[in-house]
Amino acid sequence: DDARIVQSPPPWTAQMDELVRWVQQDRLPGEELYVVRDTAVAAPGEQSVYLLSRLQESGIPFRSVSAANRIPYPEDGKVRVLIASDRDNFITGTVRSLSIEGARNNNVILYGTTRVRTNGTGQADLHNTNAHLASAYFIDYDDPAVERFILAYRSLFQNEPGSFAFQGYDTMHYYVSMCTRFGRQWYKKLPDYREKGLQSDFLFTEAQPRVNQAVRRVVYRPDLTTVLEK
């Protein structure tokens, strides 16, 4: 019986959904959206199929190319880019190609999930492509709540908190708060209460099992700063 199952980490589908919404909100009239598709595989992978289907459902116009060097970059204006591939080496190679163009003319905006960041892509490539990543986890060190947590952690443990410390705190804080408020009814109330944590957020589906859909928008700016889009 899955009626009482809760999935706290947002699935990759939630990141894809947020990515499409982000592109839809950002894209200006007349701006081109290019999807670099991995044509070297016999059949596209699960994540590529999902991304392309969500784009088509959204009605966002886009052009498909087989490589980043086939994009006609404008001298003025921006080119928004998505990568449709389930292969890490293809993603990494495409990001590097986009990074060369972005470093030269600062005219690239890459949209992706955390897979772009975790497959070996260099930090400089993320900033050169002005990467907009939909991420399940991100710590905003300018957030006063994060600063207070770090000071309290140092005082208690004489050490610096890692990502698991933030994750553990966020998870326990959310569920303990829900249990305190609603007792045995906490599970039924999950979809009604969203919470912003230190590293991750909580926004659950109405359907069962409850699946967290909260995804953060992280921007790697060309000035080498990394910010959480509010």
Side-chain angles (χ1 to χ4, degrees), residues 167-187:
Q167 183 179 356
Y169 179 84
D170 286 343
T171 302
M172 289 299 295
H173 184 275
Y174 179 72
Y175 290 113
V176 169
S177 297
M178 292 298 293
C179 289
T180 301
R181 287 179 180 178
F182 305 110
R184 294 185 178 182
Q185 299 299 311
W186 68 271
Y187 181 84

Side-chain angles (χ1 to χ4, degrees), residues 27-47:
R27 181 179 166 275
L28 300 175
E31 279 188 339
E32 294 286 1
L33 172 65
Y34 285 90
V35 177
V36 183
R37 301 178 66 170
D38 189 353
T39 58
V41 294
E46 181 183 20
Q47 294 190 23

Side-chain angles (χ1 to χ4, degrees), residues 7-21 45-54 85-86 112-115 134-137 211-215:
Q7 179 177 326
S8 291
W12 61 264
T13 53
Q15 295 182 41
M16 291 286 191
D17 292 342
E18 186 65 21
L19 204 60
V20 172
R21 285 191 291 267
E46 181 183 20
Q47 294 190 23
S48 298
V49 170
Y50 187 85
L51 173 61
L52 292 170
S53 67
R54 291 291 291 112
S85 176
D86 285 44
T113 66
T114 49
R115 188 169 186 175
S135 176
Y137 307 105
V211 179
N212 188 11
Q213 299 291 309
V215 176

Side-chain angles (χ1 to χ4, degrees), residues 140-202:
D140 180 7
Y141 286 98
D142 293 328
D143 185 342
V146 171
E147 294 177 359
R148 289 194 296 270
F149 176 80
I150 292 174
L151 292 175
Y153 192 95
R154 287 173 181 168
S155 176
L156 186 61
F157 297 107
Q158 306 300 309
N159 207 339
E160 296 297 313
S163 61
F164 286 113
F166 285 97
Q167 183 179 356
Y169 179 84
D170 286 343
T171 302
M172 289 299 295
H173 184 275
Y174 179 72
Y175 290 113
V176 169
S177 297
M178 292 298 293
C179 289
T180 301
R181 287 179 180 178
F182 305 110
R184 294 185 178 182
Q185 299 299 311
W186 68 271
Y187 181 84
K188 294 181 179 180
K189 294 292 186 179
L190 285 177
D192 299 329
Y193 288 89
R194 178 171 190 167
E195 181 168 294
K196 180 181 182 297
L198 301 176
Q199 179 178 260
S200 55
D201 304 326
F202 300 90

